[in-house]
């Protein structure tokens, strides 16, 4: 482990171990080795506070970065910008109806994932250096990361 200060841990449905550390992010123990996942990989914050294993998904409550979850090998994060009531997440659990209750520093948020596909049409992308029209191709170098932040779940959050 990069950080031996283990704050929380979870075992997923494949009996793989997930270890939340105080400052180095999340460690995944598989095949007798640890791999480290942190904010550079998409985790909301490197200080973990809680973990929840849900089928094939792992949910990580962070200390200041909201809640991140791993879905299909990609990280997604919810925080106050998305409607989460607080960014320090101390507990996560799931209801039978597949909604989640997320315990934050300012109270509880109930999150219901939106399973509907969204249609996204982009006519123009504006950046500080270039404007792109929908028929243009964006080229990058290996290792560069492009993101479009769209979060249609905002309306499915309830605060208690």
């Amino acid at each position: 482990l990069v950080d031996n200060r283990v704050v929380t841990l979870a075992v997923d449905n494949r009996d793989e171990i997930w270890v939340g550390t105080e400052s180095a992010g999340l460690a995944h123990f598989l095949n007798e080795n640890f791999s480290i996942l942190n904010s550079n990989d998409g985790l909301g914050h490197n200080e973990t506070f809680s973990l929840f294993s849900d089928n094939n998904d792992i949910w990580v409550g962070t200390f200041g970065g909201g809640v991140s979850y791993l879905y299909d090998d990609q990280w997604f994060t919810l925080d106050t910008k998305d409607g989460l009531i607080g960014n320090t997440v101390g507990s996560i659990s799931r209801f039978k109806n597949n909604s989640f209750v997320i315990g934050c520093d300012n109270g509880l948020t109930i999150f219901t994932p939106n399973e509907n596909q969204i249609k996204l049409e982009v006519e123009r992308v504006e950046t500080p250096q270039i404007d792109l029209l929908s028929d243009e191709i964006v080229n990058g170098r290996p290792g560069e990361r492009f993101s479009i932040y769209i979060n249609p779940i905002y309306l499915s959050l309830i605060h208690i």
Side-chain angles (χ1 to χ4, degrees):
L1 286 173
V2 175
D3 183 349
N4 289 327
R5 298 169 293 174
V6 174
V7 176
T8 184
L9 61 88
V11 178
D12 67 18
N13 64 344
R14 297 175 301 264
D15 283 336
E16 296 172 10
I17 301 170
W18 298 85
V19 179
T21 67
E22 187 172 293
S23 64
L26 183 66
H28 181 207
F29 188 72
L30 180 63
N31 299 327
E32 299 186 25
N33 291 304
F34 280 108
S35 59
I36 305 301
L37 303 163
N38 58 36
S39 59
N40 292 331
D41 303 302
L43 194 63
H45 198 281
N46 288 336
E47 293 181 57
T48 60
F49 203 39
S50 58
L51 288 175
F52 177 71
S53 175
D54 180 53
N55 299 322
N56 294 327
D57 304 330
I58 192 77
W59 291 72
V60 183
T62 69
F63 195 81
V67 61
S68 298
Y69 58 102
L70 186 61
Y71 177 79
D72 279 346
D73 294 324
Q74 186 173 355
W75 285 104
F76 297 91
T77 298
L78 299 170
D79 60 19
T80 55
K81 294 185 308 268
D82 304 303
L84 200 64
I85 200 165
N87 283 334
T88 297
V89 177
S91 57
I92 308 157
S93 192
R94 183 171 56 88
F95 292 111
K96 290 180 183 176
N97 71 354
N98 290 327
S99 293
F100 293 84
V101 61
I102 302 169
C104 303
D105 53 342
N106 294 326
L108 299 175
T109 298
I110 296 175
F111 165 64
T112 303
N114 183 349
E115 299 294 331
N116 298 322
Q117 294 286 328
I118 62 169
K119 184 177 179 182
L120 176 64
E121 292 183 26
V122 178
E123 293 183 18
R124 182 185 187 104
V125 177
E126 296 179 15
T127 72
Q129 296 183 5
I130 190 171
D131 290 350
L132 304 171
L133 300 175
S134 62
D135 58 346
E136 294 183 56
I137 297 174
V138 177
N139 293 310
R141 296 180 299 230
E144 284 185 320
R145 190 172 184 173
F146 296 92
S147 324
I148 297 176
Y149 183 75
I150 300 170
N151 200 334
I153 60 168
Y154 181 80
L155 296 176
S156 63
L157 296 174
I158 301 169
H159 299 144
I160 299 176

